[in-house]
Amino acid sequence: MELAFAASVYPTNVKRVIYEIRPRSSKLVANKKRFFHKKFLCSVAVAPDRNRVSEVELENKKHNLLLAVQDTQRGLAATADQRSIIEEALVSVEGYNMGAPLDMTVLDGTWRLQYTSAPDVVVLLEAAARLPFFQVGQIFQKFECRDQLRGGVIRNVIRWSIPNLLEEQEGATLVVSAKFDVVSVRNIYLQFEEIKVQDINISEQLQALIAPALLPRSFLSLQILQFLRTFRAQVPVRNPGSGRRSVGGLYYLSYLDQNMLLGRAVGGGGVFVFTKAQPLEL
C-alpha cells in the first residue's frame, strides 16, 4: 500500500527531491535571544525615564511657588491676586506626596519661613513695618524629632531688634517652644510650653553709652554689659501646678522633602512655606 501510494504521487520519470529539516542553527537562536534581551532592556528603561520627568516637573512647580512668594515680604505685602496664585502653586506641589507618612528624619532640622498668611505672624510683620523702633529679622521653625516615631519638639524662632539699642535684625531671639504629637498621617498636634527671650546682642552705641571706650570701664559697667549679653527670660505658657493643659493647635504638614516644607494651620490659621536652613544652636 505504501509503495502504491508513493508511486501515484511521484511518477517514475520525475526526479525526486528530498528536503531535509535540520535543527535551528545556534546562530539564529543567539540572534533571537539577543533581540528579546534588547527588547526587555528597552521596556525596563521606561520607568526611570518617567520618574525623572516627574522629578523635573516637581522641581519646576517648587520653583514656581518660590517665585510667586518672592516679592511678598513673607506675606506682608501679598495682594489678593498674589495670594490666589500662591495658593494654586502651593496646591500643585502638595499633590506630589499627599497622604505619605511623615519622615521624622527629613522633618528634623531648621526651616526658614519664606511666606505665610497666618494672621498671628502677619500682624508681627505689620508691627515691624509700622513701628520705627521694632524690627523683625528671620523667622524659623526648628524640629527636634530625628530619633522619634510619634512626636518631638518644635521651636518657633524669631530674630528681632530695636534700632540703636540692639544689633540690626538679630538683636535678640524670641523662642516659642512646643511639644508635638503625630495624630494622623500628616497632622501634628502642638502643645505650647514656653516663651523665651535670649541671645541679646546690644548695639555699639549702647555699649559706648554704658561703658565708654575712652574711659576706664568700672566693675559695674562690665557687669551690666555681661548681664545684657547673657540675659535670658523664660515664661511658661502653663502653670505646672494647675494641671491645666497648655494652649495647643492642629498643624497639617501638607508637603515635605529634603529642602521644602509646606504647612497649614487647621481651622483657617493660614499657610506656611519653608525652605531648609542651616542648623540653629539655641
Side-chain angles (χ1 to χ4, degrees):
M1 292 293 294
E2 292 179 357
L3 293 176
F5 178 77
S8 64
V9 174
Y10 298 101
T12 56
N13 61 344
V14 177
K15 185 178 180 180
R16 297 184 184 182
V17 179
I18 301 175
Y19 294 94
E20 182 180 1
I21 299 176
R22 297 179 179 179
R24 185 179 298 175
S25 69
S26 59
K27 185 176 181 180
L28 180 61
V29 172
N31 290 338
K32 194 165 185 180
K33 285 183 178 180
R34 193 178 299 112
F35 171 76
F36 280 106
H37 181 65
K38 289 181 178 180
K39 186 176 181 181
F40 177 74
L41 288 179
C42 291
S43 63
V44 171
V46 172
D49 290 340
R50 289 176 180 173
N51 289 339
R52 282 197 292 270
V53 170
S54 179
E55 290 174 3
V56 170
E57 289 177 351
L58 173 58
E59 291 303 318
N60 287 338
K61 290 180 184 296
K62 288 164 59 179
H63 179 68
N64 291 339
L65 174 58
L66 293 178
L67 282 180
V69 306
Q70 188 173 23
D71 298 324
T72 65
Q73 299 178 36
R74 291 179 287 185
L76 173 63
T79 64
D81 289 340
Q82 284 177 314
R83 291 190 186 278
S84 178
I85 293 172
I86 292 168
E87 177 66 22
E88 183 177 348
L90 191 144
V91 170
S92 181
V93 175
E94 287 175 331
Y96 273 83
N97 66 0
M98 185 177 295
L102 287 173
D103 188 333
M104 292 297 188
T105 303
V106 177
L107 181 61
D108 184 86
T110 304
W111 302 86
R112 187 194 311 272
L113 179 69
Q114 301 294 341
Y115 170 85
T116 185
S117 60
D120 54 344
V121 180
V122 173
V123 72
L124 189 65
L125 299 175
E126 287 177 346
R130 294 178 181 179
L131 302 176
F133 55 85
F134 181 60
Q135 292 180 345
V136 174
Q138 298 294 336
I139 299 176
F140 304 93
Q141 274 192 347
K142 187 174 187 291
F143 285 86
E144 300 170 8
C145 55
R146 179 176 296 274
D147 300 322
Q148 306 296 321
L149 296 176
R150 300 297 302 172
V153 174
I154 178 174
R155 305 186 194 278
N156 295 310
V157 182
I158 301 172
R159 306 287 197 191
W160 60 280
S161 180
I162 300 175
N164 300 322
L165 295 181
L166 304 177
E167 288 185 3
E168 293 286 329
Q169 301 296 324
E170 296 189 359
T173 301
L174 176 68
V175 182
V176 182
S177 301
K179 289 184 177 180
F180 74 90
D181 297 308
V182 179
V183 296
S184 68
V185 174
R186 284 276 167 171
N187 284 310
I188 62 174
Y189 183 81
L190 307 182
Q191 188 171 330
F192 295 99
E193 297 204 327
E194 184 183 68
I195 299 174
K196 180 167 53 179
V197 178
Q198 63 183 51
D199 301 333
I200 305 295
N201 300 311
I202 61 176
S203 65
E204 294 182 358
Q205 296 94 320
L206 182 57
Q207 291 186 50
L209 181 64
I210 296 173
L214 299 179
L215 297 177
R217 295 189 174 186
S218 66
F219 176 77
L220 178 60
S221 64
L222 292 175
Q223 286 293 98
I224 293 174
L225 287 176
Q226 183 66 19
F227 170 77
L228 291 174
R229 288 168 181 165
T230 59
F231 176 79
R232 176 176 293 193
Q234 298 179 219
V235 180
V237 177
R238 64 174 176 175
N239 185 355
S242 66
R244 294 181 179 178
R245 199 176 189 187
S246 66
V247 178
L250 202 59
Y251 191 26
Y252 176 60
L253 301 180
S254 56
Y255 180 84
L256 171 66
D257 67 14
Q258 297 290 343
N259 52 40
M260 179 172 280
L261 170 65
L262 306 180
R264 294 177 180 269
V266 178
V271 301
F272 299 86
V273 177
F274 291 93
T275 54
K276 200 65 178 286
Q278 293 297 319
L280 282 180
E281 297 295 333
L282 299 175

